[in-house]
Amino acid sequence: MANIQTRRNFLLTAPLAAAVASPFADTMMRASTAGSAAGQAAEESAIQVFPAAEMEGELKGVQANHGTKNLLTSPGTLMILNAETKKAAKEFEWHATRDHVFQVLDGETKYDLGGTPKGAHQTKPGEWLAPESEGAKAVILKKGDYLFVPRMTPHRRTTDGSVSLLLISAQTPA
């Protein structure tokens, strides 16, 4: 008998499939099993909770200063709040070992994504910049939108008004 995909089956299996297919799955699995591989329990100090009330307070502070706040800096993972007004990246950037997830918390911004970089130069091992990327596609992100930018994807942000973002960047060894 054929296996018929129903909405219920999809809803039950989609989160698992997404987790397995996610480029972050390997990073998350290593982080969750790092201590247990040697028979040790994961250290509680590695676990961090970001309560909504605290995140709201941090966001207000970042917005007031049009700045950036590192919420988490651990080996391989960054979590950053950023607020900006009328700002445009001069060049596309891309990374050999880092994936990004952006969530727009407030406002609107434009990302130019992909294409073939022209005039590229390496800034450090695994990091590049280029003034243009032929064939890049533009997407407008608004409050509540998420954007996943996989490693080696040229990307550039332009904000005409103001935007507040949460960036999660996961890095794996080259």
Side-chain angles (χ1 to χ4, degrees):
M1 176 178 265
N3 183 9
I4 300 172
Q5 181 69 26
T6 65
R7 182 171 181 236
R8 180 178 177 173
N9 287 343
F10 174 79
L11 292 174
L12 291 172
T13 60
L16 178 60
V20 170
S22 168
F24 292 115
D26 183 53
T27 301
M28 290 185 289
M29 287 300 292
R30 273 198 320 275
S32 67
T33 59
S36 60
Q40 302 169 351
E43 291 184 33
E44 288 185 28
S45 63
I47 298 168
Q48 294 189 24
V49 176
F50 298 91
E54 288 180 28
M55 289 292 287
E56 185 177 339
E58 294 287 359
L59 179 59
K60 285 181 182 178
V62 167
Q63 289 172 329
N65 296 316
H66 300 286
T68 299
K69 169 83 180 206
N70 290 347
L71 299 174
L72 173 68
T73 304
S74 68
T77 307
L78 298 172
M79 192 162 108
I80 300 168
L81 279 176
N82 182 57
E84 63 189 34
T85 301
K86 297 191 183 292
K87 187 173 179 182
K90 293 179 182 176
E91 296 185 288
F92 284 82
E93 65 178 68
W94 65 101
H95 325 281
T97 61
R98 285 192 289 152
D99 299 313
H100 295 317
V101 175
F102 296 94
Q103 179 190 12
V104 177
L105 302 172
D106 196 25
E108 179 178 301
T109 193
K110 178 182 95 169
Y111 274 87
D112 296 309
L113 302 159
T116 304
K118 302 294 181 190
H121 58 280
Q122 190 169 18
T123 58
K124 59 184 176 182
E127 304 281 329
W128 296 270
L129 294 174
E132 60 182 288
S133 188
E134 187 175 294
K137 304 292 183 201
V139 295
I140 304 293
L141 300 176
K142 298 179 180 184
K143 183 177 181 176
D145 290 343
Y146 288 81
L147 172 65
F148 171 68
V149 180
R151 66 197 67 210
M152 296 305 292
T153 303
H155 54 285
R156 171 176 68 184
R157 182 171 65 241
T158 303
T159 304
D160 291 330
S162 63
V163 69
S164 299
L165 303 161
L166 175 66
L167 162 64
I168 299 173
S169 180
Q171 184 167 348
T172 56

